Amino acid sequence: MSDTQKAIEYAHNNREKFIKELTEFIKIESISTDDAHKKKVEEAAEWAANHLRNIGIENVKLMPTGGHPVVYGDWLKKPGAPTVLIYGHYDVQPIDPIELWETQPFDATIKGDYMFARGSSDMKGQVMATLNAVESIMKTGDFPINIKFLLEGEEEIGSFNMDSFLPANKDLFKADFCLNPDAGAISADEPTITFGLRGLAYFEIQIQGPSRDLHSGLFGGTVHNPAQALTELIAGMHDANGTITLPGYYDSVRPVTDQEREDTAKLPTTPESYLEQTGVPALWGEKEFTPALRTGARPTLEVNGLLSGWTGPGSKTVLPAKAMAKISCRLVPDQTATEVHKQLVRYMQEHAPKTITWEVKLLNESPWAITDTNTAGIHALAAAFETVWGRKPLYRREGGSIGVVAMLQTIVGIESGLVGGSLPDDNIHSPNERMHMPTWYKNIDAFVHFFFNMK
Amino acid sequence: MSDTQKAIEYAHNNREKFIKELTEFIKIESISTDDAHKKKVEEAAEWAANHLRNIGIENVKLMPTGGHPVVYGDWLKKPGAPTVLIYGHYDVQPIDPIELWETQPFDATIKGDYMFARGSSDMKGQVMATLNAVESIMKTGDFPINIKFLLEGEEEIGSFNMDSFLPANKDLFKADFCLNPDAGAISADEPTITFGLRGLAYFEIQIQGPSRDLHSGLFGGTVHNPAQALTELIAGMHDANGTITLPGYYDSVRPVTDQEREDTAKLPTTPESYLEQTGVPALWGEKEFTPALRTGARPTLEVNGLLSGWTGPGSKTVLPAKAMAKISCRLVPDQTATEVHKQLVRYMQEHAPKTITWEVKLLNESPWAITDTNTAGIHALAAAFETVWGRKPLYRREGGSIGVVAMLQTIVGIESGLVGGSLPDDNIHSPNERMHMPTWYKNIDAFVHFFFNMK
């Protein structure tokens, strides 16, 4: 029996153990955006560090970042063999609106083919798939290559300490290739390699009208309602076609090539599949691009939150003093968050009325990334997928943002293979997040093959 | 010494006792819009009923309304003399945003000339001013006329049970005139009689986009963000002049007469006074009307609340499934809430995109009112003010809505004298609500004179 077969057999025989461990990991409420959960995030880092030690990884340590710590570990006993950096994040999104969850968000619940829990799909499940693959090889023989781990706790809040952490630890993370299972697949039957990611610029806009909440009867008609002023400003940020109107917004956006139009046309993501996945009555967006291009190759401006005045039950006839919006832009080559921040401020300067005052804050940012698909790492991944799924993977650009991918490229000089078992209907960032177990098992096997393919 | 003088003397000698009683009344957190406070609202009704009994009012009872009870009482021992119905409400507005209060909202705190507390100005203080005046006469002699009391607990939520309660109790509340101290004065030096009130139609708009919150990276660009759709719809409800665009909105609005333009020109409410009271950088609204006319004689459409997506600290890259707005219209003759509800629904039918679904709910309503200023009641009030202030009162229309005024007019057939000691800068419906004590004392005296003037 080959080393690969032994490792695969171990993986298959230990699925219950793997599920038990993932369930423990998920139980730790590591919501990185919420200061009240700071201790829990730390606890999740400790858990991951201990697990690395248990499966035979060496030099495991928690590294301070100014925010939540990075978990490092390595196994470097194959001089001459390539080194793979395994990336993951142990933090998760908030769970609100909590009332829409059908199970306890942090008690992993298996129903049929799915495990339901916050972090199951994004991405504690994916992190554990790589660790389970490493363990399966470690416990059944000799590891074929050198590996390092970078598990961060701030991915869901824009990895905003990475741009100071990575330069300071460049050499420690040097590797030939980064395995990043945070990108997901197009469907359970279609292994996918993502070669492009959108960046992110996340803003908060504050509008101030009167110095205090006013009685809408006594002052309504003489004062510009700040909530109304906010709606007027936001409404003007798109035209009727869904094109963004911030001054100069598309100046540095690379045009979509004919090649990419052809490639994305091959993807199974059709208008129908988007309708089905989202439940909207009709799709929206720039008519001159397909939905797949609009989510992959085009930048966006989304309202992530709105708050003003009385939002409780019943009615309160208040004319609010303030209105707030959280707005984020998904960025594509060659946009930068700094440039988009300036464009948003200029839009406000040009359009905000004199009847209110305003403030725009850049809350966080992450750059876009593009990976060369013609490298040993990508070839090893593609072969691994073909072995397990019996078909070649699909290649796509993805709409999400993983800040660390671009930083590893620009700061450390490593390209990332973006894969993973997360599926489009996993409800990541939403209530009832779930992970497709059969895809998870297949990925564990695929990662075993990947490590041997890298030899 | 005349009966009037005796009563005035009693009022002056008992100011500390009056403050103590008002403080007790304010302590009861009778927030009518909040179900969690239902018991407190009931408690405030009981407190008011007991106080009526203590000052010599008869047949005092709590009357069920389907919502919060009405407190009734009467003293009808002057056959042939006129009967005055004294109106008041014992419910108050919510206290949020609580962090902006500089004192405990329900612990009346006196600083200089002001008492700070929720309900001090709107309107427990005003209710107690009438009861203190009645007590001052009762304890020092014989009451000159017949009186009845109607103290409701749902004014701040639109008095929505009154339209079933009043028809069922028409005869009980029959009177020659209603004294309603819920309208306030233009300034401490300018006693004011309000002869017109705006009505109210309060709506909640719900927008639904995707069936669940989505990841803004995976779906941004293909799905019409419901928060954005909501801002587009609300932004379209006014034109650049601040004129409301709901179809047919002004069809039944009575044009402002030259006489009223002249009268309101006499009022001390100037653009400068509005700027000072509100703290806005610039005023807003229909250029062709003065601020006083815009708040009195013109209808409005205000955003009272906005809520969608992530509004907590930090960032969450969610594409929200829902967005909500609370919107209310102040109505003028001859608009009706039913008609405006239809206009809002028609606006939504004409402008809501196919990319979302929507719902409009009418949460509550109250009709506008106009009072004839040439009646015995108004003359008695005017004379009382002139005696106490040494000047004739000002006459104005007011922007607020007091549903019961119109209902008393149409259902029971009584006109109301709208007065009171509430001042424009009392922060009613806002943090740090306050009442101007010197004006309160003057109103107690004025009400004593009023009752004798009605004889």
Side-chain angles (χ1 to χ4, degrees), chain A residues 87 152 155 158-159 162 197-198 365-369 401-408:
Chain A
Y87 168 84
E152 70 160 315
E155 194 278 333
S159 305
M162 277 293 154
L197 287 171
R198 292 197 286 195
E365 60 183 284
S366 64
W368 50 265
S401 309
I402 311 174
V404 74
V405 173
M407 290 187 248
L408 284 171

Coordinates of all heavy atoms in Angstrom, one line a residue, chain A residues 87 152 155 158-159 162 197-198 365-369 401-408:
Chain A
Y87 N -2.5 28.5 4.8 CA -3.2 29.7 5.4 C -4.6 29.3 5.9 O -5.3 28.4 5.2 CB -3.3 30.8 4.4 CG -4.3 31.9 4.8 CD1 -3.8 32.9 5.7 CD2 -5.6 31.8 4.5 CE1 -4.7 33.9 6.2 CE2 -6.5 32.8 5.0 CZ -6.0 33.8 5.8 OH -6.9 34.8 6.3
E152 N -4.7 33.1 11.0 CA -4.9 34.5 11.5 C -6.3 34.6 12.2 O -7.2 33.7 12.0 CB -4.8 35.5 10.4 CG -5.9 35.5 9.4 CD -6.0 36.9 8.7 OE1 -5.9 37.9 9.3 OE2 -6.1 36.8 7.4
E155 N -9.4 37.8 9.7 CA -9.8 37.8 8.3 C -11.1 38.5 8.1 O -11.3 39.3 7.2 CB -9.8 36.4 7.8 CG -9.8 36.3 6.2 CD -11.2 36.5 5.7 OE1 -12.2 36.2 6.3 OE2 -11.3 37.0 4.5
G158 N -10.9 42.3 8.0 CA -10.1 42.9 7.0 C -8.6 42.7 7.1 O -7.8 43.3 6.5
S159 N -8.2 41.7 8.0 CA -6.8 41.4 8.2 C -5.9 42.7 8.4 O -4.9 42.8 7.8 CB -6.3 40.6 7.0 OG -7.0 39.4 6.9
M162 N -2.2 42.7 9.3 CA -1.3 41.9 8.4 C -0.2 42.8 7.7 O 0.9 42.4 7.6 CB -2.1 41.1 7.4 CG -2.6 39.8 7.9 SD -1.3 38.6 8.3 CE -2.1 37.7 9.6
L197 N -9.3 37.5 -6.9 CA -10.1 38.0 -5.7 C -10.3 39.4 -5.8 O -9.5 40.2 -6.3 CB -9.4 37.7 -4.4 CG -9.3 36.2 -4.0 CD1 -8.4 36.2 -2.7 CD2 -10.7 35.7 -3.6
R198 N -11.5 39.9 -5.4 CA -11.8 41.3 -5.3 C -11.2 41.9 -4.0 O -11.1 41.1 -3.0 CB -13.3 41.6 -5.4 CG -13.8 41.3 -6.8 CD -15.1 42.0 -7.0 NE -16.2 41.4 -6.3 CZ -17.5 41.6 -6.6 NH1 -17.9 42.5 -7.6 NH2 -18.5 41.1 -5.9
E365 N -9.8 47.8 4.9 CA -9.5 47.6 3.5 C -8.7 46.3 3.3 O -8.0 45.9 4.2 CB -8.7 48.8 3.0 CG -7.3 48.9 3.7 CD -6.6 50.2 3.2 OE1 -6.0 50.1 2.1 OE2 -6.6 51.2 3.9
S366 N -8.9 45.8 2.1 CA -7.9 44.7 1.7 C -7.8 44.7 0.1 O -8.8 45.0 -0.6 CB -8.5 43.3 2.1 OG -9.7 43.0 1.5
P367 N -6.6 44.5 -0.3 CA -6.3 44.6 -1.8 C -6.9 43.4 -2.6 O -7.1 42.3 -2.0 CB -4.8 44.7 -1.9 CG -4.2 44.2 -0.6 CD -5.3 44.2 0.4
W368 N -7.1 43.6 -3.9 CA -7.4 42.5 -4.8 C -6.2 41.6 -5.1 O -5.1 42.0 -4.7 CB -8.0 43.1 -6.1 CG -7.1 44.1 -6.7 CD1 -7.2 45.5 -6.5 CD2 -5.9 43.9 -7.5 NE1 -6.2 46.1 -7.1 CE2 -5.4 45.2 -7.8 CE3 -5.3 42.8 -8.0 CZ2 -4.2 45.3 -8.5 CZ3 -4.2 42.9 -8.8 CH2 -3.6 44.2 -9.0
A369 N -6.4 40.5 -5.7 CA -5.3 39.6 -6.0 C -5.5 38.8 -7.3 O -6.7 38.5 -7.6 CB -5.0 38.7 -4.9
S401 N -13.2 38.9 -0.8 CA -11.9 39.5 -0.6 C -11.2 38.8 0.5 O -11.7 38.5 1.6 CB -12.1 41.0 -0.1 OG -13.0 41.6 -1.0
I402 N -9.9 38.4 0.2 CA -9.1 37.8 1.3 C -7.8 38.6 1.3 O -6.9 38.3 0.5 CB -8.8 36.3 1.0 CG1 -10.1 35.6 0.6 CG2 -8.1 35.6 2.2 CD1 -10.0 34.1 0.2
G403 N -7.7 39.5 2.2 CA -6.7 40.5 2.2 C -5.3 39.9 2.1 O -4.4 40.4 1.4
V404 N -5.1 38.8 2.9 CA -3.8 38.2 3.1 C -3.2 37.7 1.8 O -2.0 37.7 1.6 CB -3.9 37.2 4.2 CG1 -4.5 35.9 3.6 CG2 -2.5 36.9 4.8
V405 N -4.1 37.3 0.8 CA -3.6 36.7 -0.4 C -2.7 37.8 -1.2 O -1.6 37.5 -1.6 CB -4.8 36.3 -1.3 CG1 -4.3 35.8 -2.7 CG2 -5.5 35.1 -0.6
A406 N -3.3 39.0 -1.3 CA -2.5 40.0 -2.0 C -1.2 40.4 -1.2 O -0.2 40.6 -1.8 CB -3.4 41.3 -2.2
M407 N -1.4 40.4 0.2 CA -0.2 40.8 1.0 C 0.9 39.8 0.9 O 2.1 40.1 0.8 CB -0.7 41.0 2.4 CG -1.5 42.3 2.6 SD -1.8 42.7 4.3 CE -3.6 42.4 4.3
L408 N 0.5 38.5 0.9 CA 1.5 37.4 0.7 C 2.2 37.6 -0.6 O 3.5 37.4 -0.7 CB 0.9 36.0 0.8 CG 0.5 35.6 2.3 CD1 -0.3 34.3 2.2 CD2 1.7 35.4 3.1

